[in-house]
Amino acid sequence: MSAKKILMLVGDYAEDYETMVPFQTLLAVGHSLDAVCPDKKAGDTVATAIHDFEGDQTYSEKRGHNFALNADFAKARVEDYDALLIPGGRAPEYLRLNEDVIRLVRDFNDADKPIAAVCHGAQILAAADIIKDRRVSAYPACAPEVRLAGGTYAEIAIDDACIDGNLVTAPAWPAHPKWLAGFLTLLGTEITH
């Protein structure tokens, strides 16, 4: 397996597990990740939020960690990376308003590079207009956005994932095992026991 270089797009109040777990997992299997946020640089941090499922009609939210960025968003270019990773949480809600973010996501898709998005990350995919006629999973509250963007919302279990071409998507962090396994497959990563 050759190590891949992955761009991770985060922002304030990205979901903690959907940020920290993929970052550490992909490093553990030998890939490198540049975590970036618009208007921030390497060494800055983003605040994360922990979304939990406690039997209410929606998830609860608690303050998470400060996640350190290790690269500058302004320097991120699709040609320098093999794949893109987009955590969920509340960050996608405002990141999708940034034209540089949208252009970067479109560039990854146009280059047919793997893109992993979880939970509210689909909001960025929808805003980038790259999910028309594609099957995409997301947190159920994002289903209308997937459909309005011309995608087919994949109604799957909260711990499942969906692969459609270069996209691997999932409803929320309980899907990490299948979502990250799908991303590793798209990256060509082989893990043997």
Side-chain angles (χ1 to χ4, degrees):
M1 168 198 99
S2 62
K4 303 294 184 184
K5 188 170 182 183
I6 301 163
L7 183 67
M8 184 178 200
L9 182 60
V10 297
D12 284 316
Y13 295 98
E15 207 289 326
D16 191 90
Y17 298 153
E18 294 168 6
T19 303
M20 304 281 249
V21 172
F23 186 83
Q24 293 171 340
T25 299
L26 293 164
L27 288 175
V29 299
H31 298 304
S32 66
L33 283 89
D34 283 353
V36 300
C37 175
D39 303 320
K40 295 193 181 200
K41 58 187 183 317
D44 290 344
T45 62
V46 294
T48 67
I50 297 170
H51 292 168
D52 207 354
F53 308 101
E54 301 176 299
D56 301 308
Q57 290 180 328
T58 188
Y59 56 85
S60 63
E61 183 173 78
K62 297 155 188 74
R63 178 66 165 89
H65 298 88
N66 289 327
F67 178 74
L69 305 171
N70 62 358
D72 298 347
F73 176 82
K75 296 178 183 175
R77 304 287 176 269
V78 68
E79 56 269 13
D80 296 330
Y81 296 96
D82 298 300
L84 176 66
L85 191 142
I86 306 171
R90 283 193 285 132
E93 180 180 279
Y94 79 89
L95 290 175
R96 66 186 167 164
L97 302 176
N98 184 308
E99 283 303 316
D100 293 329
V101 167
I102 297 305
R103 184 176 57 257
L104 191 60
V105 172
R106 286 179 182 153
D107 288 348
F108 271 92
N109 190 65
D110 291 347
D112 201 32
K113 293 186 177 186
I115 299 173
V118 64
C119 197
H120 289 73
Q123 291 178 313
I124 293 175
L125 302 179
D129 196 26
I130 64 166
I131 60 174
K132 185 174 173 52
D133 300 325
R134 307 205 46 201
R135 191 167 178 261
V136 175
S137 180
Y139 190 69
C142 298
E145 290 171 87
V146 169
R147 292 181 182 117
L148 287 168
T152 299
Y153 178 69
E155 294 188 38
I156 57 177
I158 198 157
D159 62 351
D160 205 356
C162 174
I163 296 177
D164 187 328
N166 66 319
L167 296 179
V168 58
T169 54
W173 59 261
H176 279 342
K178 290 183 181 175
W179 179 61
L180 289 171
F183 192 41
L184 291 171
T185 297
L186 291 180
L187 293 171
T189 306
E190 293 183 26
I191 298 173
T192 57
H193 300 278

